[in-house]
């Protein structure tokens, strides 16, 4: 592998950000920070663990990897600026494949005006990509999972479970007709997620918002908020927004995908009742559907937990499954 020749092929012809002083080509990149807080995250994709070449084209591997990282920025209320990519290449992967992966990243990078400013390229036994993203947020305005308070409204953007449903369709390997828009949308949601950066930025006028992105499924993300904020979350099953595409699946798949199917890269958050209309309005302006799905309370015995109201019963939601909660005696009985 000629690393130098490869880097020449993936380098951006021009940089988009004014803050950048030195891009690819030296021992490190250099950019000048303003007074803002700097936000950094990293995500790693390993072939056959986090993705397969069967369900993602090379450019989509890049698109999704960067998408997942940009979504982490959105979940902090931050604006993405730069990214670096470390790539492990096994034998048999040619330059063309790598160039395609990077072109997928650049497609999304162009949308958000961000720059690839460095990385590392090494040989190994498994195809793996690790992406580091750097962003900024006005001082003190980073949105933490610990920001939820009793009385808050719990909201979510878009619809849930679509990415997992799209993956299911891809794994079934059935031909999906191009005019089958419902199923095509699910597949697109899996292959080209749309991080909610603009929406998160539009919420900056609000003092306090807790935010988390739906990367592992809402059951997991709600628990993270409940635990880190030391509050109780109650949500209403019937209010969880799902797409018409998801309704094509069995009831149990719908439930499974909407709670536990990750990688929708939507945002889940909590905000005071007073400010919820502002969240809704900002969503409307940007064409982002915002749905109220529940509320936050403070209850020492229950804090850290998430409860789901469904068909007249309350169930305690587990991070990866249900536990039934009987109203009479508060016993917890496993559902299945
Ligand atoms: P060094 O030996 O100093 O680590 P390298 O030869 O690894 O430098 O890299 C040369 C330049 O190319 C550096 O600016 C580095 O950030 C960039 N680079 C290397 N691999 C990648 C990659 N996969 N993506 C983006 N930039 C890369
Ligand atoms: Mg190096």
């Amino acid at each position: 592998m000629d690393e130098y020749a490869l880097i020449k092929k993936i380098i951006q012809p021009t940089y988009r950000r004014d803050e950048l002083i030195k891009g690819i080509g030296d021992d490190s990149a250099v950019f000048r920070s303003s007074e803002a807080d700097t936000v950094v995250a990293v995500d790693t994709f390993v072939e056959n663990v986090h993705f397969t070449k069967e369900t993602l084209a090379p450019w989509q591997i890049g698109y999704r990897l960067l998408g997942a990282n940009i979504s982490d920025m959105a979940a902090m209320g931050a604006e993405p600026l730069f990214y670096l990519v470390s790539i492990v290449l096994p034998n048999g992967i040619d330059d063309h494949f790598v160039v395609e992966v990077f072109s997928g990243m650049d497609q999304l990078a162009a949308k958000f005006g961000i720059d690839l400013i460095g990385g590392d390229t090494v040989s190994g036994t498994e195809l793996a990509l690790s992406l580091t993203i750097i962003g900024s947020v006005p001082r003190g305005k980073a949105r933490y999972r610990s920001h939820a308070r009793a009385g808050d409204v719990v909201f979510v953007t878009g619809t849930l479970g679509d990415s997992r449903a799209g993956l299911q369709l891809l794994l079934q390997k059935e031909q999906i007709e191009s005019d089958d828009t419902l199923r095509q949308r699910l597949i697109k949601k899996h292959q080209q997620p749309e991080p909610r950066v603009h929406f998160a930025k539009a919420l900056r006028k609000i003092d306090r918002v807790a935010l988390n992105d739906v990367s592992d499924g809402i059951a997991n993300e709600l628990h993270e908020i409940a635990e880190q904020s030391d509050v109780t979350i109650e949500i209403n099953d019937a209010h969880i927004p799902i797409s018409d595409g998801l309704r094509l699946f069995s009831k149990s798949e719908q439930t499974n995908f909407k709670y536990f199917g990750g990688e929708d890269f939507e945002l889940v958050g909590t905000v005071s009742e007073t400010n919820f209309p502002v969240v809704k309005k900002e969503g409307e302006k940007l064409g982002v559907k915002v749905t109220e799905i529940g509320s936050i309370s403070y209850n020492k015995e229950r804090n850290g937990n998430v409860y789901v109201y469904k068909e007249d019963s309350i169930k305690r939601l587990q991070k990866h499954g249900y536990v039934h909660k009987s109203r009479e005696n508060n016993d917890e009985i496993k559902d299945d």
Side-chain angles (χ1 to χ4, degrees):
M1 177 185 59
D2 181 348
E3 189 192 322
Y4 180 71
L6 178 61
I7 292 164
K8 265 177 57 182
K9 288 184 199 163
I10 60 175
I11 197 166
Q12 283 176 216
T14 54
Y15 291 107
R16 304 176 176 112
R17 306 236 41 122
D18 296 336
E19 300 93 329
L20 191 67
I21 297 169
K22 183 77 191 173
I24 287 174
D26 216 304
D27 299 302
S28 301
V30 183
F31 66 91
R32 194 156 287 159
S33 306
S34 61
E35 287 296 289
D37 291 336
T38 299
V39 185
V40 188
V42 62
D43 249 315
T44 303
F45 259 31
V46 179
E47 185 181 7
N48 297 326
V49 178
H50 304 97
F51 71 92
T52 66
K53 290 203 209 93
E54 280 71 51
T55 55
L56 294 176
W59 71 269
Q60 288 165 339
I61 296 171
Y63 195 106
R64 268 188 96 249
L65 176 62
L66 183 56
N69 278 272
I70 292 179
S71 180
D72 280 328
M73 291 286 119
M76 297 306 282
E79 179 177 2
L81 304 173
F82 303 112
Y83 65 106
L84 300 96
V85 181
S86 179
I87 179 161
V88 182
L89 297 172
N91 284 336
I93 295 264
D94 57 17
D95 277 14
H96 180 70
F97 178 91
V98 181
V99 169
E100 286 288 297
V101 171
F102 277 82
S103 81
M105 288 187 228
D106 194 58
Q107 234 191 84
L108 196 56
K111 272 194 199 175
F112 289 94
I114 68 179
D115 289 322
L116 172 67
I117 59 166
D120 204 14
T121 309
V122 299
S123 304
T125 50
E126 233 84 44
L127 174 63
L129 298 112
S130 181
L131 195 149
T132 301
I133 193 156
I134 300 168
S136 86
V137 67
R139 266 180 187 233
K141 278 277 182 174
R143 306 305 196 180
Y144 300 143
R145 296 167 182 177
S146 56
H147 282 168
R149 297 288 175 267
D152 276 4
V153 167
V154 180
F155 65 88
V156 67
T157 62
T159 52
L160 297 181
D162 293 342
S163 173
R164 180 64 188 78
L167 176 63
Q168 185 91 338
L169 294 175
L170 289 165
L171 291 171
Q172 284 165 358
K173 291 191 177 143
E174 279 165 37
Q175 184 65 36
I176 311 275
E177 301 302 326
S178 58
D179 62 353
D180 186 348
T181 48
L182 292 186
R183 288 187 176 82
Q184 291 293 359
R185 243 181 251 151
L186 298 176
I187 288 172
K188 185 162 182 205
K189 183 84 183 193
H190 179 71
Q191 295 177 329
Q192 291 163 259
E194 214 183 300
R196 301 297 189 188
V197 172
H198 303 303
F199 171 75
K201 273 182 74 181
L203 304 188
R204 282 183 183 166
K205 60 181 68 155
I206 301 173
D207 260 354
R208 179 186 58 79
V209 183
L211 280 183
N212 201 353
D213 69 324
V214 185
S215 52
D216 295 323
I218 198 171
N220 183 70
E221 324 306 357
L222 287 172
H223 272 94
E224 288 173 350
I225 293 175
E227 284 161 12
Q228 295 197 26
S229 295
D230 192 30
V231 293
T232 307
I233 298 184
E234 287 164 64
I235 59 169
N236 190 327
D237 179 75
H239 293 182
I240 296 178
I242 62 169
S243 67
D244 290 340
L246 194 72
R247 287 181 221 280
L248 300 172
F249 288 75
S250 73
K251 279 275 178 225
S252 76
E253 281 172 320
Q254 288 181 31
T255 301
N256 194 16
F257 294 172
K258 75 181 180 185
Y259 286 109
F260 311 111
E263 297 173 339
D264 283 312
F265 300 117
E266 295 295 343
L267 292 176
V268 56
T270 91
V271 69
S272 70
E273 251 179 272
T274 325
N275 279 326
F276 182 62
V278 182
V279 175
K280 275 270 303 186
K281 199 165 137 232
E282 292 305 323
E284 270 160 33
K285 280 198 228 162
L286 292 164
V288 175
K289 177 174 140 119
V290 175
T291 310
E292 176 174 353
I293 60 165
S295 60
I296 302 284
S297 59
Y298 186 90
N299 177 327
K300 268 205 170 92
E301 281 82 54
R302 292 183 163 196
N303 286 350
N305 290 312
V306 181
Y307 297 89
V308 178
Y309 287 76
K310 186 176 182 177
E311 291 152 4
D312 286 339
S313 72
I314 312 172
K315 288 173 177 178
R316 185 162 70 80
L317 187 65
Q318 290 205 310
K319 279 188 178 178
H320 304 286
Y322 279 118
V323 169
H324 189 75
K325 189 159 185 74
S326 146
R327 275 186 174 158
E328 291 78 37
N329 54 17
N330 279 358
D331 273 351
E332 286 165 8
I333 306 153
K334 265 208 175 218
D335 235 4
D336 41 26

